């Protein structure tokens, strides 16, 4: 008999809030002001924080980064290389409301190095692209250290 019910796991909202704060803590190391969004694997917002003085677009871009990472289950910066030689695909994806190839969106897996079950995604925006990535990865690493 075919199994009609699927169980999925996701981080809880308290963990999502802590991830936002951890990413912000890392942004403070860079003296940057960022927006951070954590989504469930299905794209539902679990937590979101925008630091004072973060660029006005930071929050919306962070959400796009998290949504893209959750949707495709890969870091957003990986799309830069994937789309380099595919301008038609890039143009089509960039027309999608919640897609971005800017770095700073990272899927959250239950195990290190993108292994295990997808638990959600985090998006950080407002610093340099590399700093956004570092903030997101720092928050994920801190989460995995507590599991």
């Amino acid at each position: 008999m075919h199994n009609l019910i699927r169980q999925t796991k996701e981080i809880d909202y308290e963990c999502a809030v802590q991830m936002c704060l951890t990413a912000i803590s890392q942004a403070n190391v860079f003296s940057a002001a960022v927006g951070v969004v954590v989504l469930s694997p299905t794209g539902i917002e679990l937590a979101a924080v925008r630091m004072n003085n973060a660029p006005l677009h930071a929050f919306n871009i962070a959400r796009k980064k998290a949504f893209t990472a959750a949707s495709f289950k890969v870091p957003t910066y990986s799309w830069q290389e994937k789309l380099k030689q595919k301008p038609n695909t890039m143009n089509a994806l960039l027309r999608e409301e919640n897609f971005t190839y800017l770095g700073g969106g990272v899927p959250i897996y239950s195990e290190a190095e993108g292994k295990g079950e997808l638990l959600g995604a985090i998006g950080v925006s407002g610093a340099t692209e590399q700093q956004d990535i570092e903030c997101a990865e720092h928050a994920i690493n801190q989460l995995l250290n507590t599991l």
Side-chain angles (χ1 to χ4, degrees):
M1 180 175 180
H2 182 62
N3 189 357
L4 300 177
I5 299 174
R6 290 186 42 204
Q7 285 188 314
T8 59
K9 295 180 183 177
E10 66 183 37
I11 60 173
D12 77 350
Y13 76 94
E14 290 174 324
C15 181
V17 169
Q18 188 56 50
M19 289 186 76
C20 287
L21 296 176
T22 301
I24 285 170
S25 167
Q26 186 66 22
N28 283 327
V29 170
F30 305 124
S31 298
V34 298
V36 184
V37 176
V38 177
L39 302 178
S40 73
T42 58
I44 304 299
E45 192 172 293
L46 298 172
V49 178
R50 182 188 164 274
M51 296 172 68
N52 297 91
N53 299 321
L56 295 177
H57 286 88
F59 187 76
N60 289 333
I61 294 170
R63 187 176 196 305
K64 282 185 176 186
K65 289 178 180 185
F67 195 90
T68 301
S71 178
F72 293 103
K73 301 173 181 59
V74 296
T76 51
Y77 66 83
S78 69
W79 284 100
Q80 293 175 18
E81 188 62 34
K82 289 179 186 183
L83 297 174
K84 195 178 272 186
Q85 303 301 321
K86 299 178 181 178
N88 291 338
T89 304
M90 181 190 302
N91 287 333
L93 285 171
L94 288 174
R95 288 188 179 118
E96 291 297 319
E97 183 178 339
N98 288 312
F99 176 84
T100 184
Y101 60 80
L102 298 173
V106 183
I108 304 164
Y109 285 96
S110 58
E111 298 175 34
E113 299 176 19
K115 297 181 180 171
E117 194 167 351
L118 181 70
L119 303 176
I122 185 170
V124 179
S125 183
T128 68
E129 189 172 24
Q130 185 57 44
Q131 290 169 340
D132 289 346
I133 293 167
E134 287 179 38
C135 291
E137 289 177 346
H138 179 73
I140 291 171
N141 290 334
Q142 291 298 316
L143 166 69
L144 292 177
N145 288 337
T146 63
L147 296 179

